[in-house]
Every structure is written in C-alpha cells, then in structure tokens.
Amino acid sequence: MTTTDATSTSRRRVLARTRFDFWFDAVLLLGFTLAYSYGFTGIAIHEWLGIGLGIAFLFHLTLHWDWVLRTTRRLINPRGRDKLIWLVNLALLAAMTLCIASGILISRVALPAVGLYPLSGPFWSRLHVLTAEVTLGLVPVHVALRWRWIMRVGRRLATRRTAGQRG
Amino acid sequence: MRFLRHLGAATLLVAVVVGLGLAWNHFAPGTLVGDLPGPSRQPILHGAALRSGKVVILRPTKGHAARIISLQPGAHPPRSLTKHGIVVVVRGGPMDLGLGSMFQPVNLGSLKHTAELETLLIAAVVIIDVTRRRQRRARRKREAGSGVPSALWRMRN
C-alpha cells in the first residue's frame, strides 16, 4: 500500500468513526429526551427505553474512554474549559448511572415482565426523580460544550451528502 | 481487545457509582426527604371506566410509597385514590406501549416541555461560550496593540 492510499484509508476510517459518533450521540440525545418525557411515552416505553439507554450509555462511555483517561491525567494542569467539561461529565456519569440504576430498581412493567421483581422503596423512587432532573440539566450542558465539534461534523456530513448527490 | 478492556473499565466505573448509591441507601436513606415531586402529565381518568388493566397511583400519600391496585374491566378508579394521586393506566401489560394515546395534546405537552428546556440550556451555554471567546479575542487584540504581551504569548515564547 502506498503512502497516499494509507493516508486516504486512514482519513476514511477517521471519518467513519466520527460519523458514527455524531449519529450515535444524536440518537442518545433523542432517546434521553423521549425517556424523560414520561407523560408522552407512558410507563412501558419509559422503562424499556431507560434500559436501552443504560446499555447505550455504557457503550458511549466505552467509546470515549480514551478521552476520560487523557483528560483525567491532564487534570494537574488543565485549561479552564477542559476542567469544566471533565466536571460536567463526572456529574453526568454519577447522575445518569444512579437514575438508570434506581429506575431499574423501581421497575413496575419491564422487569416484572421478564420475571424479575426488583427492590423498591421511597428512597429509590425519590433518587430516580432527583437524578432525572439533575440529568436533564446536565445533558444539554454536556452537548452544548461540544457545539463546535457538532457544527463542524454536521457541516462536513451535509457537504458530503451534497457532493454525493451532485456527482 | 482494546474495546473490551475499555468496556470493562467503564463497567467497573459504573459499578462503583451504583455501589455508592447502595451505600447511600444503606447508611443514610433519610437524606432524601419529601414527597415525590410534580404530577406526571398523564391524563387523569376522572370518573372514566377502565377497559382493562391495572391502575398505578404515582404520587404517594404521606408516609406511603406509590401503590398499585388492580381493577376489574369496567370499574372506576375509587375517588378516594384519584383525589390523592395521579392515576396512570397500564392497560395491557409490559408490551402495551400506549402508542394510541401518545400524541394526545395533554401527553405531547410533556415532550414539548422537555425539548424546550433542553433547547434553552443548550442555547444559554453556546451564547456564554461565544461571548467569552469574543471577549478573549478582543483582550488579546488590545494587548497586542498596546505592546503588552498576553499570558498566552508569554507561555508560547
């Protein structure tokens, strides 16, 4: 493989990963918006979607684990913005994990349907509501702190599509 | 292999957070006080008969958790319960997704409210970020013009 081929293959690979990140994160945001809107979805969709979001959230964390390690190591001398993003992400990790875990523990529809009757109690119900509200505040901040990346990638994807349609 | 290692690390981190939650419940459950906040936006079945299914009372009375009661088809939710709680009807079971009632205006409002809140927060963060960048650029221009090097220039040189 020549150097030009290797570079263009590598660029295509980076672009595919970026594309995947963009759309996966968009689906995550949409999924969270729907899951939070309990009145819209009703309890069954809310619970199944919540479980799906939990798995997707773990996948999202795994995909960006490199960033977690890199930024944590740099915390000794961080830029202000890096520290802010790290703190927001840490808070979001805690809130969303507790929200999903407490939701599973108070499940009334999804888990009993598969024969699992989890613990429940007022603590977990209150924790679920509290962490859901905290998550609702943090998710938009988490998204907005990356707005430049979103605009850049969105523009590149739109340009690719237009070029594809013309050609 | 790298993906699996990262997945393992992420799972471990999530497990630590869940463990902290369990510890919180075990050692200090009373720190989360108060009733469950806010009514859900599910329509309340005032006096309406049920076709089938269970009725879940979301908002507990003081000292009691949320309760589930079963009603026979054609039964009305007791007024004493609807007075104190918000009634959510789970019709046919876990796979009954309630798609038919999702787009009723009273339920659509919930989605609209969430989307509006998120949009406002995103807009606020973006505006703050853009404003701060412009202020930083203006400050650097002033410093470059006045001949006083900025901290960044000093670091780079």
Side-chain angles (χ1 to χ4, degrees):
Chain A
M1 195 185 269
T2 65
T3 313
T4 321
D5 289 342
T7 311
S8 68
T9 307
S10 157
R11 253 196 228 127
R12 270 202 298 275
R13 204 177 297 133
V14 167
L15 192 59
R17 169 65 200 259
T18 308
R19 235 183 10 241
F20 178 79
D21 277 342
F22 184 85
W23 290 116
F24 186 71
D25 293 351
V27 166
L28 266 185
L29 179 63
L30 180 64
F32 173 77
T33 306
L34 288 173
Y36 187 86
S37 311
Y38 182 96
F40 175 72
T41 60
I43 191 166
I45 294 181
H46 174 80
E47 290 197 7
W48 289 117
L49 191 54
I51 291 170
L53 270 178
I55 297 166
F57 160 66
L58 190 62
F59 191 60
H60 178 75
L61 186 59
T62 304
L63 286 178
H64 297 282
W65 192 251
D66 277 335
W67 179 91
V68 172
L69 290 178
R70 204 169 52 239
T71 314
T72 306
R73 275 189 212 121
R74 282 209 316 243
L75 273 183
I76 301 163
N77 266 329
R79 291 188 310 140
R81 193 184 161 82
D82 280 347
K83 198 155 57 172
L84 174 67
I85 295 174
W86 191 87
L87 284 170
V88 165
N89 290 355
L90 182 67
L92 185 56
L93 167 75
M96 193 166 269
T97 302
L98 290 176
C99 185
I100 291 167
S102 56
I104 287 169
L105 288 174
I106 62 173
S107 172
R108 289 191 287 258
V109 171
L111 260 56
V114 295
L116 293 169
Y117 293 90
L119 312 166
S120 66
F123 174 84
W124 297 111
S125 299
R126 285 184 208 120
L127 184 65
H128 185 65
V129 172
L130 174 69
T131 49
E133 291 178 352
V134 170
T135 307
L136 180 65
L138 288 174
V139 161
V141 175
H142 175 74
V143 168
L145 286 173
R146 293 287 185 201
W147 71 273
R148 261 184 231 101
W149 180 85
I150 293 167
M151 295 288 290
R152 200 167 56 238
V153 174
R155 222 178 281 138
R156 272 162 63 187
L157 288 174
T159 315
R160 259 173 73 104
R161 194 167 294 142
T162 316
Q165 281 168 357
R166 262 197 245 120
Chain B
M1 269 309 289
R2 197 159 149 260
F3 179 80
L4 288 175
R5 259 203 329 270
H6 288 185
L7 179 62
T11 308
L12 187 63
L13 183 59
V14 163
V16 165
V17 176
V18 172
L20 287 171
L22 290 167
W24 185 3
N25 177 43
H26 182 72
F27 292 111
T31 48
L32 281 182
V33 292
D35 289 332
L36 295 174
S40 89
R41 287 183 173 77
Q42 286 276 17
I44 300 169
L45 300 180
H46 288 302
L50 289 177
R51 270 175 293 183
S52 65
K54 299 188 179 105
V55 173
V56 179
I57 310 295
L58 275 189
R59 195 170 188 180
T61 51
K62 230 176 172 53
H64 296 285
R67 291 181 287 166
I68 300 174
I69 61 170
S70 291
L71 295 177
Q72 294 297 323
H76 295 245
R79 206 174 140 59
S80 56
L81 294 178
T82 55
K83 209 167 53 174
H84 293 296
I86 307 302
V87 177
V88 174
V89 177
V90 178
R91 288 202 184 278
M95 285 327 215
D96 181 2
L97 302 178
L99 295 171
S101 59
M102 219 187 229
F103 293 97
Q104 286 171 7
V106 67
N107 294 329
L108 209 49
S110 169
L111 181 64
K112 194 169 153 242
H113 173 79
T114 309
E116 278 171 1
L117 212 55
E118 287 184 346
T119 308
L120 271 170
L121 280 168
I122 288 172
V125 172
V126 170
I127 287 169
I128 291 169
D129 192 41
V130 167
T131 309
R132 286 187 62 193
R133 274 172 76 88
R134 281 191 185 156
Q135 285 173 348
R136 261 203 310 268
R137 258 192 226 131
R139 194 176 61 234
R140 273 192 216 134
K141 246 189 221 166
R142 271 200 313 270
E143 284 170 355
S146 69
V148 173
S150 68
L152 186 61
W153 183 89
R154 278 199 299 270
M155 259 168 58
R156 284 190 180 152
N157 296 280

